[in-house]
């Protein structure tokens, strides 16, 4: 049964069959409009982001790639509400999220997962996942536990490690638990800032399949930052290539490869053509950044 048959079944029965994508949500539309970010505007004036505009539709998986220090995390931190904009604005479902007048404010509608995990080591996996809705009084303990177990199970059988403490798990598994912990808050957008950066190639490949599976099940808008071009093309619907600092949008590549994505797709001519298209631009920018001696800042 092909993906389109699966989707037809979803339309008919409302059920998600094993390969079908969950339906596109009607929330999570992110409009990034002419965004600029200057650190220390009255002193050193570090121009991190300049005139960045991206429209991200609800349920889209967008990857942002660019060399180290080009302003990716700055853009992410503005979306997350940790930093202000110094130019332009960002709207979430038409509502102002970051403007010159709006002070930055994080919210449970946008959850960020970073490279360095932030699970509580003294709480079990289950308690970690239940923590958000419990502390915000959004769910009773029973409901939070039910929901957490359900999500853990749906996200690649993580319910099996519900009673473990994070340090007992591999870093890949910890990262997956973190994503589940983000999802239980029902965010409109999932923000991932180089979550697999420190991993070896094999672990990364495994994580990609898990992330794609989570995306298939939850179908949230995902903004995924990486400096790894292959990862970006493999995962996303669109790859936004940023220039070296100040980060502007150099090009946007539409990835029309079908889903579910499988590792053998990286051998198809379609994938290789996209990679060739992206490589030239990214390498040009990486070279510029390298020549300028841009320091790595994770
Ligand atoms: P990336 O995530 O693409 O590696 P960042 O957004 O972290 O890039 O950084 C972009 C530029 O802004 C870099 O030159 C970095 O040194 C600078 N920068 C980042 N955060 C700050 C800050 N809080 N204050 C001053 N400069 C910063
Ligand atoms: Mg960064």
């Amino acid at each position: 049964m092909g993906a389109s048959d699966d989707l037809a079944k979803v339309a008919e029965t409302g059920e998600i069959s094993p390969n079908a994508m969950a339906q596109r949500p009607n929330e999570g539309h992110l409009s990034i409009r002419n965004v600029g970010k200057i650190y220390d505007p009255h002193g050193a004036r570090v121009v991190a982001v300049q005139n960045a505009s991206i429209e991200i539709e609800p349920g889209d998986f967008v990857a942002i790639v660019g060399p180290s220090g080009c302003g990716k995390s700055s853009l992410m931190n503005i979306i997350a509400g940790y930093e202000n904009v110094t130019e332009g604005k960002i709207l979430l479902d038409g509502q102002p999220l970051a403007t010159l007048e709006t002070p930055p404010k994080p919210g449970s509608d946008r959850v960020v997962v970073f490279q360095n995990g932030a699970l509580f080591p003294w709480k079990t996996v289950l308690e970690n996942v239940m923590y958000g809705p419990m502390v915000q009084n959004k769910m009773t303990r029973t409901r939070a536990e039910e929901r957490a177990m359900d999500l853990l199970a749906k996200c690649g059988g993580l319910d099996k490690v519900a009673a473990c403490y994070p340090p007992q798990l591999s870093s890949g598994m910890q990262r997956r638990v973190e994503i589940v912990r983000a999802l239980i808050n029902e965010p409109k957008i999932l923000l991932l800032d180089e979550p697999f950066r420190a991993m070896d190639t094999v672990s990364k490949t495994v994580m990609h399949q898990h992330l794609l599976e989570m995306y298939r099940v939850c179908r949230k808008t995902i903004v995924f930052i990486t400096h790894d071009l292959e990862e970006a093309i493999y995962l996303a619907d669109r790859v936004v290539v940023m220039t070296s600092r100040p980060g502007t949008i150099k090009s946007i590549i539409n990835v029309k490869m079908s889903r579910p994505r499988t590792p053998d797709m990286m051998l198809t001519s379609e994938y290789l053509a996209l990679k060739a298209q992206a490589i030239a631009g990214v390498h040009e920018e990486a070279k510029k950044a390298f020549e300028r001696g841009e320091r790595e800042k994770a």
Side-chain angles (χ1 to χ4, degrees), residues 33-242:
R33 298 191 183 158
N34 308 106
V35 163
K37 173 70 187 172
I38 302 177
Y39 292 103
D40 193 11
H42 306 295
R45 278 187 67 83
V46 179
V47 186
V49 181
Q50 203 170 51
N51 201 21
S53 296
I54 317 168
E55 281 296 318
I56 303 177
E57 298 298 325
D60 265 6
F61 193 138
V62 169
I64 301 181
V65 288
S68 280
C70 78
K72 302 183 294 297
S73 294
S74 299
L75 187 58
M76 184 69 101
N77 288 339
I78 297 169
I79 302 170
Y82 302 139
E83 289 281 356
N84 66 335
V85 287
T86 50
E87 226 186 306
K89 61 180 171 188
I90 300 183
L91 307 176
L92 176 57
D93 293 328
Q95 298 300 312
L97 194 81
T99 69
L100 292 176
E101 295 79 34
T102 322
K105 190 167 173 274
S108 59
D109 52 356
R110 293 151 277 147
V111 189
V112 197
V113 176
F114 296 101
Q115 169 198 342
N116 302 311
L119 294 172
F120 301 123
W122 62 88
K123 286 182 185 287
T124 64
V125 163
L126 177 61
E127 287 163 351
N128 264 284
V129 176
M130 289 163 62
Y131 182 78
M134 293 271 303
V135 83
Q136 294 173 69
N137 275 326
K138 278 192 180 160
M139 291 181 200
T140 61
R141 169 167 280 278
T142 319
R143 176 70 193 122
E145 188 170 333
E146 242 174 50
R147 182 78 187 117
M149 287 304 282
D150 180 47
L151 268 180
L152 283 164
K154 276 189 182 138
C155 294
L158 286 171
D159 53 328
K160 293 186 195 74
V161 295
C164 293
Y165 288 89
Q168 294 176 279
L169 307 178
S170 66
S171 67
M173 217 175 247
Q174 290 183 29
R175 203 72 355 101
R176 289 166 58 199
V177 171
E178 254 180 88
I179 298 174
V180 177
R181 188 175 66 164
L183 290 176
I184 198 169
N185 294 308
E186 312 234 315
K188 291 180 178 173
I189 312 181
L190 193 56
L191 302 166
L192 300 160
D193 191 348
E194 308 217 33
F196 314 140
R197 183 186 171 126
M199 287 181 189
D200 61 84
T201 319
V202 175
S203 311
K204 236 182 177 181
T205 310
V206 174
M207 288 305 292
H208 291 159
Q209 290 319 116
H210 284 302
L211 178 61
L212 287 170
E213 177 59 14
M214 287 180 182
Y215 175 58
R216 185 185 70 76
V217 172
C218 77
R219 195 71 201 275
K220 300 282 177 200
T221 304
I222 296 186
V223 182
F224 185 100
I225 282 185
T226 178
H227 61 268
D228 179 339
L229 194 55
E230 302 201 358
E231 165 173 87
I233 298 173
Y234 182 56
L235 296 174
D237 300 311
R238 273 188 305 151
V239 176
V240 177
V241 179
M242 281 179 80

